[in-house]
Amino acid sequence: MAKKKQQETPVTQTTDHHGVTYLTGMYQDYFLDYASYVILERAVPDIKDGLKPVQRRLLQSMYDMHDGRYHKVANLIGHTMQYHPHGDAAIGDALINLGQKDLLIDTQGNWGDIRTGDSAAAPRYIEARLTKFALEIAINPQTTQWQMSYDGRRNEPITLPVKFPLVLAQGVEGIAVGLATKILPHNFFELIQASIKVLEGKKIKLYPDFQTGGMMDVSEYQSGIRGGRVRVRVRIEKLDKNTLVIREIPFGVTTGSLMESIVKASEKGQIKVKKLNDNTAAQVEIVIELQPGVSPDQTMDALYAFTQCEVSISPNACVIDGMKPVFLGVEEMLRISTFNTQELLKQELQIRLHELQEKWHFSSLEKIFIEKRIYRDIEESETWEAVIKAIQKGLAKYIATPSTKTKGEKRLLLHRDITVEDIQRLTEIRIKRISKYNSFQADEVIKQIESELKQVRHDLAHLTEYTIAYFQKLLDKYGLGRERKTELTTFDTIQAVKVIANNAKLYVDRKEGFIGWGLKKDEFVADCSEIDDIIAFRKDGKFMVSRIAEKVFVGKNIIHVGVWKKGDERTTYHMIYQDGDSGKAFAKRFNVTAITRDKEYDLTKGGKDSRVMYFAAHPNGESETVEVQLAQTSKARNKVFDFYFEELAIKGRNAGGNTITRYPIRKVAQVEVGKSTLGAQKYWYDDANGRISKDERGKFLGSFDTGDQLLTVYANGDYEIIDFDPTGKIDLKDLLYAGKFKPKAPVSMVYFEGEKQWTMVKRFLIETTTIGQRFRAITEHADSKLYFVTLEEDPVVEFGYMSNRQKVTELFNPAEFIEVKGWKAIGNKLVDKKLISIQAQQSEEEGETEPEEADEVPPTSEKKKAVQADLFSAPASKSKPLTKDVKKTAAKSSAKPAKTPATKSSSKSTSKASVKPAPKASKKATKKAVKGNKGKGGKYLRTGDTIEW
């Protein structure tokens, strides 16, 4: 029989009347005491100085030993043990941690490397001393509050008088009992600037900054309180198509752990890496060589998704305030630190004021004592009391004190009464000093003291301005080289399923109904990843979606299997099935955009013995024609006919479909597959990271269909044609243009020609056919650079330049200015100066995105004339004469006369209203304008005429 459990009686007192302590009471009290001790004395920093106790004791010990020279770390650790009772290991680790932050401690020797994770050398080999910054902002015995050390032999600081937001600058991490803190480091510059803003009453916002650099998304930082987080990424450079280089690493990640995570991801097949090298020396450099044919853009995303190239850091800002832990945001911490600094500066000013008053007090007594020869009055005094009375009597003739002053006092008024100690100091003045006393120098010293007193009183009266000046001095004195290292940006969310490399192969056993990567003896379907979903259609008209595994049963008689993507509205399925109940044949087009994994779905009307006669999957909704052959026993006149799937609307998977025949079908065969019936897809690219998407975010690229290509143009004049990848990225470095490549659309460029120092205009058709290679469309001179590029048919461009110290702005139409020439042509001169501004003029009829365009644009010679071409087609004899500058430009640019360009003279004599015809106008408006002009006697419009409509 089991023993009955005894009920435990809670103990409310730890001792009885005999003084006996119960064990349960000891546990209750001791645990609470231990937890409080660890929180207050070990793990959590104080808000006033931002230091843990071990760090505070270290700095005080280093100040005790400070003589301007380096000290062995072993000696510093031993000296600190007079204050800290927890052994040399804890002190040594804290000292190394402070030294690696490069703020308070000046180090010498091998102190390890936070980037590589290398540890520091032994304490006997390395040295340290306090920095000048630490001595200025953290050490001041006069304003330090003291307490007895653990053994009662020394005084140690309760908190150091730190006049700087040290806890935010260094960051801190600690684990206590039932409590933890993690405050991320912030930028030196930004902290001081924010402190100044606090004193000015302005709002502030702070974000972390790390020594290791990298990039950071702070959209969820939430001032560093619990629940917030920051995402930090390495900085990856694309060296070439097969090589990536990591230059900066995330906070808390070492090069060793980063490479280990990349190796693990490669072993799992999540990324495809050929070789990995760590060339880190003075700077981080990890070289990743990719396997042939692997996309570097997709690999970069995969590195962020599956390795430590991206880490998420969750802060938990907790500090000690008033002998208890509190959770504060970093902005509130900065405010407390700033006003604490202001109070400490006030205390220092008050101490300095008292010192100067005392110095002025004694200097004044000394001056009168010597100049008035009061020391002679004590020659006949025989006792000490008589000496004091004689001096007091002598001083009273020339000096008044607060207790002896009278109305209309002409004597020198002191700040306080004369004490016995003051008189004793006067009697200690040596005869040598009295004999060599210089009254003029004494007056100068007193004036200097009075000047300092005036300044100190002014600073006390204007304490806020004084504190701002103090912070500005710190910034000027110690801010060099402390600029922000971590770039603030926003990261897009990377879906692992989209960036994971194909690390598995999909096989199918159609007869037995199994799929997976372990069926290597069966039919190979496609490459896939270990996290892909697989869709399988069966002969009975049912389908199922399941996560890929080594071997998964999805049902016998599989007719189609493939990788399924959630939300895919482009992949279209064509199916013809014979209904088991009615015997009719139905055809349907449908998408599968959302499902429940491992659930069976019926695509037929549910009749028993229904069977699929034809099934096809098309990734881009292509049209399809099939030949339907009916059974020979059917009574249909036409036993063979064609069926066109594009005539069916794409519906949901539950739709029954359209009837195509009521007779039994013997066979269905595919005749041809046509173009997509879904039309081109519109794409945008994010101007922050270059990612291409359909989210209507960023800049519009164009409408792309199967086989379309992408054109990119860069500031150095290079252009590149690449195959369009809907999941890829665009290189944003020096990018000027990105859009759909239209082979017969002229490219208009305005560029600066470095050799001749002219601004040139050229128009050309892209004749190169090599994919993925850059070609230079402007001259190769080092100073040549591209200003502007467009593929618009009839653009109007506004440009500006400096002439006679004034900005000149003109409009011109590249299509009117120069004809289409070869892509290697230099072009025509626009102006003989550099441009300071250039932009395209957008007409009111143009929308934010491009309209749907035809696949081919007619050649320039065959297309309809632009509005300006009709308006300015007057005979040369009736048009205004060209200016001198324009004649020179036309003569030099081409032997064939170009159409009249915009000139300097026209831009100075006419305003922007005088070139109203430049933007695209409707044909109706143009005809009205021309007709009206003819009615007034003129047959054609002339250059410079103003058109109103």
Side-chain angles (χ1 to χ4, degrees):
M1 182 175 176
K3 295 182 180 180
K4 184 181 293 185
K5 294 183 179 180
Q6 298 180 356
Q7 294 182 350
E8 296 183 358
T9 304
V11 178
T12 57
Q13 297 180 351
T14 58
T15 60
D16 60 8
H17 60 281
H18 295 293
V20 178
T21 303
Y22 291 99
L23 192 60
T24 54
M26 290 175 60
Y27 280 146
Q28 287 177 351
D29 294 341
Y30 287 2
F31 181 80
L32 183 61
D33 293 343
Y34 173 70
S36 301
Y37 176 77
V38 174
I39 292 171
L40 297 176
E41 298 293 331
R42 296 293 298 272
V44 184
D46 196 288
I47 185 65
K48 291 184 178 179
D49 58 6
L51 298 169
K52 296 180 181 180
V54 63
Q55 297 172 330
R56 188 180 304 118
R57 291 160 180 164
L58 256 171
L59 294 180
Q60 181 60 42
S61 182
M62 293 182 71
Y63 177 69
D64 294 342
M65 299 177 64
H66 184 72
D67 58 2
R69 296 180 293 177
Y70 290 100
H71 294 272
K72 289 286 186 181
V73 168
N75 290 339
L76 294 173
I77 293 173
H79 192 275
T80 307
M81 291 181 70
Q82 299 178 74
Y83 298 107
H84 195 66
H86 298 291
D88 58 337
I91 299 171
D93 292 343
L95 182 56
I96 295 298
N97 184 270
L98 279 176
Q100 288 178 341
K101 291 178 179 177
D102 192 27
L103 191 62
L104 299 177
I105 297 179
D106 185 8
T107 62
Q108 185 169 271
N110 177 15
W111 280 67
D113 193 337
I114 60 174
R115 303 168 305 161
T116 61
D118 296 335
S119 58
R124 62 183 179 275
Y125 297 125
I126 55 179
E127 299 175 331
R129 65 182 177 186
L130 291 176
T131 61
K132 293 180 180 179
F133 177 75
L135 292 170
E136 183 168 346
I137 63 106
I139 305 297
N140 188 345
Q142 292 179 313
T143 56
T144 302
Q145 295 180 347
W146 303 90
Q147 64 182 2
M148 296 300 295
S149 62
Y150 70 96
D151 59 1
R153 288 187 174 92
R154 286 177 172 268
N155 287 329
E156 66 171 342
I158 299 175
T159 57
L160 289 176
V162 175
K163 303 183 291 295
F164 180 77
L166 194 59
V167 67
L168 297 177
Q170 292 192 134
V172 68
E173 187 172 358
I175 301 175
V177 180
L179 184 71
T181 183
K182 187 168 189 177
I183 302 172
L184 302 181
H186 294 70
N187 182 257
F188 184 91
F189 259 88
E190 294 172 5
L191 287 174
I192 293 181
Q193 291 171 346
S195 294
I196 293 174
K197 288 183 179 180
V198 168
L199 294 168
E200 293 173 346
K202 299 178 180 178
K203 293 183 179 180
I204 59 171
K205 199 68 179 174
L206 294 175
Y207 298 111
D209 185 31
F210 306 121
Q211 288 178 281
T212 53
M215 302 180 294
M216 177 173 55
D217 185 345
V218 294
S219 57
E220 301 177 42
Y221 184 47
Q222 298 180 9
S223 298
I225 60 177
R226 285 180 294 182
R229 69 163 185 162
V230 294
R231 296 163 60 196
V232 190
R233 286 182 177 178
V234 301
R235 190 180 298 277
I236 304 179
E237 295 180 7
K238 218 171 18 172
L239 198 62
D240 52 48
K241 294 182 179 179
N242 297 318
T243 309
L244 302 176
V245 181
I246 297 175
R247 302 289 187 187
E248 297 174 0
I249 60 177
F251 175 72
V253 176
T254 64
T255 54
S257 64
L258 179 62
M259 292 183 64
E260 185 178 351
S261 70
I262 296 174
V263 170
K264 287 182 178 179
S266 179
E267 290 174 349
K268 292 179 180 178
Q270 295 168 333
I271 56 176
K272 294 184 178 180
V273 175
K274 179 181 178 182
K275 191 176 180 182
L276 189 64
N277 293 322
D278 186 1
N279 300 331
T280 301
Q283 302 295 331
V284 173
E285 184 177 313
I286 298 176
V287 181
I288 305 173
E289 295 185 19
L290 306 180
Q291 294 181 9
V294 176
S295 167
D297 293 326
Q298 185 174 351
T299 303
M300 288 168 65
D301 289 341
L303 287 170
Y304 292 139
F306 301 112
T307 72
Q308 289 188 353
C309 288
E310 178 181 328
V311 295
S312 179
I313 304 173
S314 299
N316 183 24
C318 178
V319 291
I320 301 299
D321 187 12
M323 295 301 292
K324 63 181 181 181
V326 293
F327 294 90
L328 300 173
V330 292
E331 288 83 9
E332 183 61 26
M333 286 186 190
L334 184 75
R335 290 187 184 93
I336 294 173
S337 174
T338 300
F339 291 122
N340 182 59
T341 299
Q342 189 177 30
E343 181 61 30
L344 289 172
L345 291 174
K346 180 181 178 181
Q347 294 178 20
E348 292 180 358
L349 287 173
Q350 289 173 340
I351 292 171
R352 180 59 179 163
L353 179 65
H354 178 70
E355 291 174 349
L356 290 172
Q357 287 176 339
E358 288 298 308
K359 189 175 181 181
W360 181 86
H361 178 85
F362 186 75
S363 296
S364 300
L365 287 178
E366 183 185 55
K367 176 178 169 56
I368 293 173
F369 181 75
I370 297 175
E371 286 186 351
K372 303 302 180 181
R373 300 187 177 185
I374 297 175
Y375 54 86
R376 290 185 175 182
D377 296 344
I378 65 174
E379 293 177 353
E380 298 179 359
S381 301
E382 296 181 357
T383 63
W384 177 247
E385 290 77 10
V387 169
I388 292 176
K389 287 182 180 180
I391 295 175
Q392 286 177 338
K393 183 179 179 181
L395 292 174
K397 299 176 182 179
Y398 309 101
I399 294 176
T401 63
S403 61
T404 62
K405 68 178 181 179
T406 60
K407 190 175 182 180
E409 186 64 67
K410 295 182 179 181
R411 294 175 298 174
L412 177 65
L413 181 63
L414 299 181
H415 300 294
R416 63 174 177 82
D417 292 337
I418 301 173
T419 63
V420 175
E421 288 77 12
D422 294 333
I423 296 176
Q424 184 176 352
R425 286 184 64 187
L426 291 175
T427 60
E428 292 173 356
I429 298 175
R430 296 184 178 184
I431 298 299
K432 184 178 181 180
R433 174 168 173 75
I434 294 175
S435 62
K436 292 185 177 181
Y437 186 78
N438 189 320
S439 180
F440 176 77
Q441 289 183 355
D443 291 339
E444 290 297 318
V445 169
I446 292 174
K447 287 181 181 179
Q448 180 66 29
I449 295 172
E450 290 174 346
S451 176
E452 290 186 33
L453 276 169
K454 183 179 179 181
Q455 183 62 44
V456 171
R457 290 192 180 101
H458 177 272
D459 292 339
L460 281 169
H462 302 82
L463 191 59
T464 300
E465 291 81 356
Y466 178 76
T467 309
I468 292 174
Y470 167 80
F471 280 119
Q472 190 61 49
K473 184 183 72 172
L474 289 182
L475 192 62
D476 298 338
K477 192 173 181 180
Y478 302 106
L480 184 62
R482 299 191 181 274
E483 295 79 10
R484 169 168 283 278
K485 297 180 180 179
T486 304
E487 178 186 350
L488 299 180
T489 182
T490 55
F491 301 154
D492 51 342
T493 301
I494 298 176
Q495 297 181 9
V497 69
K498 291 185 177 181
V499 299
I500 188 171
N502 289 333
N503 57 352
K505 294 183 181 296
L506 176 62
Y507 299 91
V508 59
D509 182 350
R510 296 183 184 272
K511 183 178 180 181
E512 298 299 327
F514 288 97
I515 61 171
W517 66 66
L519 309 174
K520 296 183 179 180
K521 294 182 179 180
D522 294 298
E523 178 186 346
F524 171 73
V525 178
D527 291 322
C528 61
S529 72
E530 61 185 12
I531 60 175
D532 276 338
D533 290 317
I534 307 301
I535 188 168
F537 297 87
R538 303 200 306 258
K539 186 72 175 176
D540 59 1
K542 296 179 174 62
F543 81 94
M544 178 190 295
V545 175
S546 181
R547 176 63 60 88
I548 189 173
E550 185 175 0
K551 187 176 181 180
V552 181
F553 180 74
V554 293
K556 294 184 178 182
N557 298 319
I558 298 173
I559 58 174
H560 174 80
V561 64
V563 178
W564 178 79
K565 302 294 183 182
K566 183 179 180 181
D568 183 7
E569 297 180 350
R570 305 291 290 186
T571 301
T572 306
Y573 301 100
H574 295 173
M575 187 176 83
I576 297 176
Y577 69 94
Q578 197 101 36
D579 183 46
D581 292 339
S582 64
K584 294 180 180 180
F586 297 90
K588 61 188 292 185
R589 295 182 80 197
F590 63 95
N591 301 125
V592 180
T593 57
I595 49 86
T596 300
R597 205 178 274 130
D598 298 324
K599 179 181 177 181
E600 191 176 79
Y601 294 90
D602 194 349
L603 296 171
T604 69
K605 290 182 176 293
K608 188 179 180 181
D609 297 330
S610 296
R611 60 195 181 106
V612 177
M613 306 304 298
Y614 179 80
F615 189 92
H618 298 284
N620 199 31
E622 287 83 359
S623 61
E624 183 180 19
T625 303
V626 295
E627 182 184 75
V628 181
Q629 300 179 16
L630 302 182
Q632 294 296 330
T633 58
S634 66
K635 298 179 181 180
R637 292 183 179 181
N638 296 326
K639 292 184 173 59
V640 179
F641 59 90
D642 288 343
F643 180 78
Y644 305 94
F645 273 99
E646 62 264 29
E647 296 177 356
L648 297 179
I650 299 175
K651 298 182 179 180
R653 62 173 183 264
N654 294 325
N658 293 11
T659 304
I660 61 173
T661 181
R662 57 190 178 89
Y663 299 105
I665 295 177
R666 183 177 69 87
K667 182 182 178 182
V668 180
Q670 187 184 78
V671 176
E672 66 172 351
V673 177
K675 292 185 178 181
S676 173
T677 60
L678 301 178
Q681 183 75 32
K682 292 183 178 181
Y683 288 92
W684 287 258
Y685 73 94
D686 193 325
D687 50 7
N689 53 39
R691 180 174 298 282
I692 299 172
S693 69
K694 298 179 288 185
D695 301 334
E696 299 187 11
R697 183 183 64 200
K699 295 184 178 179
F700 183 67
L701 271 179
S703 300
F704 290 83
D705 206 340
T706 305
D708 284 341
Q709 294 173 322
L710 180 69
L711 171 66
T712 54
V713 185
Y714 300 91
N716 62 351
D718 287 350
Y719 71 85
E720 182 180 15
I721 301 171
I722 57 176
D723 290 326
F724 181 71
D725 181 4
T727 62
K729 277 186 175 181
I730 294 176
D731 184 5
L732 298 179
K733 186 176 181 181
D734 299 328
L735 180 72
L736 282 187
Y737 174 84
K740 181 179 177 181
F741 172 55
K742 293 166 281 190
K744 295 186 178 181
V747 180
S748 301
M749 285 186 174
V750 180
Y751 72 97
F752 180 74
E753 206 289 311
E755 183 178 356
K756 296 182 179 181
Q757 299 289 301
W758 291 349
T759 296
M760 310 290 291
V761 181
K762 65 181 296 183
R763 297 181 75 232
F764 62 95
L765 293 175
I766 293 180
E767 302 167 5
T768 56
T769 58
T770 306
I771 304 300
Q773 180 178 345
R774 292 192 178 189
F775 294 91
R776 183 66 57 87
I778 64 175
T779 57
E780 298 282 349
H781 195 276
D783 293 336
S784 297
K785 61 180 179 179
L786 185 60
Y787 286 134
F788 177 80
V789 60
T790 181
L791 268 68
E792 290 185 18
E793 180 182 353
D794 197 29
V796 177
V797 182
E798 177 185 310
F799 64 95
Y801 57 92
M802 297 300 295
S803 178
N804 298 325
R805 298 184 179 181
Q806 291 184 348
K807 182 179 179 180
V808 179
T809 302
E810 299 184 22
L811 295 176
F812 86 106
N813 187 330
E816 300 288 333
F817 188 81
I818 185 173
E819 294 182 349
V820 176
K821 299 183 179 181
W823 72 280
K824 292 186 177 181
I826 296 178
N828 291 3
K829 182 175 77 169
L830 182 64
V831 291
D832 56 358
K833 297 176 175 61
K834 287 186 176 182
L835 300 187
I836 59 175
S837 65
I838 186 168
Q839 62 181 356
Q841 292 288 308
Q842 188 176 18
S843 65
E844 296 179 359
E845 297 178 1
E846 292 181 8
E848 294 182 359
T849 59
E850 296 178 2
E852 294 294 332
E853 299 168 351
D855 292 337
E856 294 186 358
V857 179
T860 307
S861 60
E862 299 176 3
K863 69 182 181 181
K864 293 182 180 181
K865 294 181 179 179
V867 174
Q868 285 191 330
D870 291 334
L871 296 178
F872 298 107
S873 59
S877 59
K878 294 185 178 182
S879 63
K880 291 185 178 180
L882 293 173
T883 63
K884 185 178 181 181
D885 291 342
V886 176
K887 286 180 179 179
K888 288 182 179 179
T889 303
K892 291 182 179 180
S893 60
S894 175
K896 185 178 178 180
K899 296 180 181 180
T900 308
T903 63
K904 295 181 184 178
S905 59
S906 65
S907 66
K908 292 180 181 179
S909 60
T910 61
S911 63
K912 290 185 180 180
S914 66
V915 284
K916 284 184 180 179
K920 294 180 181 179
S922 64
K923 293 181 178 180
K924 186 176 180 180
T926 305
K927 288 179 179 178
K928 286 183 179 180
V930 174
K931 185 176 180 181
N933 192 41
K934 287 182 179 179
K936 295 179 181 179
K939 188 175 181 180
Y940 297 100
L941 289 174
R942 299 174 183 271
T943 304
D945 287 349
T946 302
I947 304 171
E948 306 262 0
W949 59 74

